[in-house]
Each structure stands twice: as C-alpha cells, then as structure tokens.
C-alpha cells in the first residue's frame, strides 16, 4: 500500500466533508491501494491494517473503488458493515502484538467509541459497536 501525505481525490474529500464530521488533519482515506494521510502523521501499523481492509473491500466491490466510495458516502448500513470489518481487523492486528488483556480491552473500547462516534454518522451505540468488532474479529 502506497502512503501519500496529501488529501484524497477532491470528490471523496468533499463527500466526506459534506456528510461526516471530518478533521482533515487526523483522518485517513484509502482509495484503491493508496492511503491518504493529509496530516502527515506517523501511522501505527494497526491503522495501516484497518485501511488495508478498505483497499481489499474496494478491490472486491462490483464496480471497483469509485462505486465503493459512492456507496460508502450514501448508505449508512453499508458504511457500518465496511467499518466494522476494518475495525475488527485493526483490533485483531493489535491483539497479535499485545498480549495484556487489559490493554486489549481498552483498545477495543477505544475503537468502539470511534466507530459509534460522530465521525461516521452511524446510529450505533458504543456497546453495539464493540460487539460488532468482537464478532468480526
């Protein structure tokens, strides 16, 4: 996966800014096999694992990455399913590196807060998000 420290394609950026609560400097986008990191921050491996899932989802989606993004921007159920799978992979990756159960539980809770938070505009609670992450992991 190629990592670019710049904004994603304009139509994706505008779609996200219009639809979600995006902090551009702290949000990552995947478009095909490119991960966009406009803030230029150092990326932890677990974030790359998460975004790698989106790259595979886009590749496998009928119509490819453009159709995936169109669907992602307008269909909240689709967005929830795609993000739950990516957060589960992120959690699983983290568990492969960290054996402490308390740290794992804290990380899972943080991921659930992100998934259920304002960014994605999803009607899901943190406990529902946690269960989705656990089920997919």
């Amino acid at each position: 996966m190629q990592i670019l420290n710049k904004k994603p394609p304009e139509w994706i950026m505008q779609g996200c800014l219009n639809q979600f609560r995006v902090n551009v400097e702290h949000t990552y986008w995947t478009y095909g096999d490119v991960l966009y990191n406009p803030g230029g921050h150092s990326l932890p491996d677990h974030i790359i694992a998460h975004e790698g899932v989106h790259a595979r989802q886009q590749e496998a989606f009928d119509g490819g990455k453009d159709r995936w993004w169109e669907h992602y921007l307008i269909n909240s159920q689709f967005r929830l399913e795609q993000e739950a799978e990516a957060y589960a992979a992120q959690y699983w990756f983290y568990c492969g590196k960290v054996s402490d159960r308390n740290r794992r539980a804290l990380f899972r809770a943080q991921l659930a807060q992100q998934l259920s938070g304002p960014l994605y505009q999803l009607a899901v609670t943190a406990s529902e998000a946690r269960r989705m992450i656990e089920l997919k992991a």
Side-chain angles (χ1 to χ4, degrees), residues 37-127:
N37 176 16
H41 305 287
S42 176
L43 295 174
D45 288 344
H46 62 84
I47 294 286
I48 295 170
H50 176 116
E51 296 301 330
V53 169
H54 291 320
R56 289 188 296 281
Q57 290 168 337
Q58 291 171 20
E59 181 181 315
F61 194 73
D62 187 27
K65 59 190 175 195
D66 288 338
R67 290 285 297 138
W68 184 93
W69 267 105
E70 289 168 5
H71 222 63
Y72 184 92
L73 290 171
I74 63 170
N75 185 322
S76 62
Q77 184 59 40
F78 176 77
R79 188 167 51 254
L80 176 59
E81 291 166 2
Q82 300 298 287
E83 289 298 343
E85 182 181 345
Y87 275 107
Q90 184 176 355
Y91 174 65
W92 189 250
F93 182 90
Y94 183 84
C95 289
K97 302 284 184 183
V98 175
S99 59
D100 182 88
R101 291 174 51 160
N102 292 327
R103 286 180 54 202
R104 286 179 174 187
L106 177 61
F107 188 70
R108 184 180 60 236
Q110 291 168 339
L111 294 178
Q113 284 295 327
Q114 290 172 13
L115 180 57
S116 65
L119 172 61
Y120 300 109
Q121 299 292 298
L122 300 167
V124 62
T125 67
S127 60

Side-chain angles (χ1 to χ4, degrees), residues 1-8 27-52 55:
M1 176 171 271
Q2 180 183 15
I3 299 172
L4 299 179
N5 292 333
K6 64 182 202 173
K7 294 177 183 176
T27 301
Y28 313 106
W29 288 269
T30 296
Y31 182 67
D33 64 350
V34 179
L35 193 164
Y36 291 91
N37 176 16
H41 305 287
S42 176
L43 295 174
D45 288 344
H46 62 84
I47 294 286
I48 295 170
H50 176 116
E51 296 301 330

